[in-house]
Amino acid sequence: MSPTQTGNAALTTDASQLQEMGIMRGADGEREKAMGTKNNEVVTPMKAGRPKTIDKQSLDYVWRTGLAGGLAGCAAKTVVAPLDRVKILFQASNPQFAKYTGSWFGVVTAMQDINQQDGIRGLYRGHSATLLRIFPYAAIKFLAYEQIRSVIIKDKTHETPIRRLVSGSLAGITSVFFTYPLEVIRVRLAFETRKDARSSLSSICKQIYNEHPPPPAHAISQSAAAVANPSGSNSLHLRNAASSLASTGTALQAVRPRSGLANFYRGFSPTLCGMLPYAGVSFLTHDTVGDWFRRPSIAEYTTIPFANSSSSSVSHSRAPLRTPYELISGALAGLVSQTVSYPLEVIRRRMQVGGAVGDGHRLGMGETARRIWAEKGAKGFWVGLTIGYVKVVPMVAVSFWVYERGKLALGI
């Protein structure tokens, strides 16, 4: 064999060996993908080299998740802030805006009235308190969901609708517990419509803190009747009346909030009850619709190819959806969750503004529901639902889209 032929043979052998090595490396990569993820780890794609493994319990993952969630919440609330202001006025039966309820034109007219009276700033009244509340709320909600989900749904074999529902519900309860006082302040700011008496954030806080329930009406009427009825021995009745008033005052002092902090949790009971279906159904619907869009038959058109990891056993490392389909998933999640939880939301709003209307009496959940029923019947529990849809559907859609894109940008 000539030297030239020998060299060509060597080059051919080297090329074939390199090709085989490349194939073997590719096979190794496919085996690594097929192995998926274990426990609390997710595999995220890198521009070059092997995938990067992230521990979902690590501090790095937690703060990145919280940041993505907080930014998602702020972006979503900013988009729908004017609608949110009008919806609160409708739900809480603000006397000045009660005439606008019940129609689409009422929503538009109410927004026009606010704009004429206070300008664009009026449509965003209370928005600073909203952002102050929504960033920690959304951050806690999303990171709590990721953490709770990693415990309840360890791998794809545990991926069930019930587990998704429970994960979302617990995440919602966790977030609302820590941020509820800010929600009460926001609602009270948004509820004000008097142009000549605007309250600052600090004055609203002082007002809520210092609100105390009035004496029970039946106790006052009984004491007054005892004083006004002099039949028999006047001195005996007067002593009994004085004793009754003193005991009533003592009882009121005993139950009167000493710190006023309880006032910042008005409406907390229906909030918890409403958060169970709202957050749970929201995450469940979003993930379920996302599964539909990730079916192999259409995944080519609905997902972003470079991040595709269909063999993954953890849903959070699934291929991200393209923008239209991510927005559709979020919109459907908002639609379903709003429908399920809306009556409890109306009760909550009425309880939150209890100190700003009427006699300041602190209403319980049952008493608030009875008042709504007595005033407007069953329709009273669905006041503002139309504007609720208009607000919640784009809000949830934007929230999930920004969150998912934020995760990609932050490398999780």
Side-chain angles (χ1 to χ4, degrees):
M1 182 181 295
S2 65
T4 303
Q5 291 177 333
T6 303
N8 291 338
L11 289 173
T12 303
T13 302
D14 291 341
S16 62
Q17 288 176 350
L18 288 172
Q19 185 178 6
E20 289 176 0
M21 290 173 65
I23 293 174
M24 290 177 64
R25 288 194 184 98
D28 289 341
E30 291 299 322
R31 282 196 296 271
E32 288 175 1
K33 285 179 63 178
M35 290 174 66
T37 58
K38 297 180 180 180
N39 299 328
N40 298 317
E41 297 179 345
V42 296
V43 176
T44 58
M46 297 179 67
K47 293 182 179 179
R50 295 184 178 180
K52 180 178 63 175
T53 302
I54 299 177
D55 180 7
K56 294 188 73 174
Q57 260 70 55
S58 66
L59 180 61
D60 182 68
Y61 186 86
V62 169
W63 81 259
R64 288 172 187 267
T65 304
L67 178 60
L71 293 176
C74 290
K77 275 292 186 179
T78 301
V79 169
V80 299
L83 290 171
D84 198 27
R85 171 92 199 276
V86 176
K87 191 188 79 163
I88 289 173
L89 294 172
F90 283 5
Q91 285 181 330
S93 298
N94 186 287
Q96 185 177 339
F97 288 86
K99 59 186 177 183
Y100 298 132
T101 59
S103 69
W104 282 92
F105 294 106
V107 173
V108 176
T109 306
M111 295 179 68
Q112 289 176 343
D113 270 9
I114 295 173
N115 186 42
Q116 289 175 0
Q117 292 178 9
D118 306 317
I120 296 296
R121 293 183 62 184
L123 293 171
Y124 284 86
R125 178 158 180 79
H127 191 55
S128 58
T130 298
L131 295 180
L132 184 65
R133 177 194 72 92
I134 199 63
F135 186 89
Y137 169 81
I140 293 172
K141 182 180 72 172
F142 280 108
L143 74 84
Y145 179 68
E146 298 282 7
Q147 297 301 312
I148 294 170
R149 182 186 170 95
S150 69
V151 173
I152 296 179
I153 306 176
K154 296 183 180 298
D155 52 50
K156 203 161 188 175
T157 60
H158 294 85
E159 190 90 22
T160 63
I162 294 297
R163 290 176 184 269
R164 284 177 170 176
L165 181 68
V166 171
S167 299
S169 298
L170 292 178
I173 290 174
T174 302
S175 61
V176 80
F177 176 79
F178 289 104
T179 60
Y180 190 78
L182 293 171
E183 167 70 359
V184 175
I185 296 170
R186 180 186 74 90
V187 170
R188 291 290 287 271
L189 283 169
F191 183 74
E192 284 194 344
T193 57
R194 295 174 300 170
K195 189 175 182 179
D196 58 340
R198 294 300 188 199
S199 300
S200 64
L201 182 61
S202 60
S203 63
I204 282 287
C205 292
K206 291 177 182 178
Q207 179 184 343
I208 296 172
Y209 184 87
N210 293 318
E211 287 171 356
H212 298 290
H218 67 276
I220 296 176
S221 61
Q222 289 175 0
S223 299
V227 175
N229 183 12
S231 60
S233 174
N234 290 336
S235 60
L236 178 61
H237 281 290
L238 288 173
R239 283 197 300 269
N240 289 338
S243 176
S244 177
L245 285 170
S247 62
T248 300
T250 303
L252 287 173
Q253 289 295 330
V255 300
R256 186 178 184 180
R258 298 183 182 276
S259 65
L261 293 177
N263 292 337
F264 289 94
Y265 279 87
R266 278 179 170 168
F268 189 62
S269 298
T271 299
L272 285 181
C273 296
M275 187 54 65
L276 285 170
Y278 180 80
V281 170
S282 180
F283 280 108
L284 170 62
T285 304
H286 174 265
D287 289 353
T288 301
V289 175
D291 288 344
W292 297 343
F293 283 135
R294 290 182 178 90
R295 289 181 176 178
S297 57
I298 60 173
E300 179 183 355
Y301 310 102
T302 59
T303 60
I304 299 176
F306 74 88
N308 189 17
S309 56
S310 57
S311 300
S312 174
S313 61
V314 179
S315 65
H316 297 300
S317 60
R318 298 175 302 177
L321 297 174
R322 297 180 187 272
T323 294
Y325 304 101
E326 184 62 59
L327 291 174
I328 291 173
S329 299
L332 291 175
L335 181 69
V336 176
S337 59
Q338 179 75 352
T339 304
V340 170
S341 63
Y342 195 79
L344 288 167
E345 184 178 351
V346 173
I347 295 173
R348 172 168 62 98
R349 297 296 191 203
R350 288 291 292 271
M351 293 177 70
Q352 287 174 336
V353 300
V357 295
D359 58 2
H361 176 57
R362 184 181 291 119
L363 301 176
M365 185 175 175
E367 185 178 356
T368 303
R370 287 192 294 270
R371 283 198 177 189
I372 295 173
W373 180 270
E375 292 172 3
K376 299 181 180 179
K379 292 182 179 179
F381 294 97
W382 304 97
V383 170
L385 179 59
T386 302
I387 191 174
Y389 283 143
V390 175
K391 187 202 93 167
V392 169
V393 169
M395 182 185 73
V396 178
V398 170
S399 178
F400 275 113
W401 181 82
V402 174
Y403 176 65
E404 294 296 336
R405 292 302 182 266
K407 287 171 63 178
L408 286 178
L410 293 171
I412 55 174

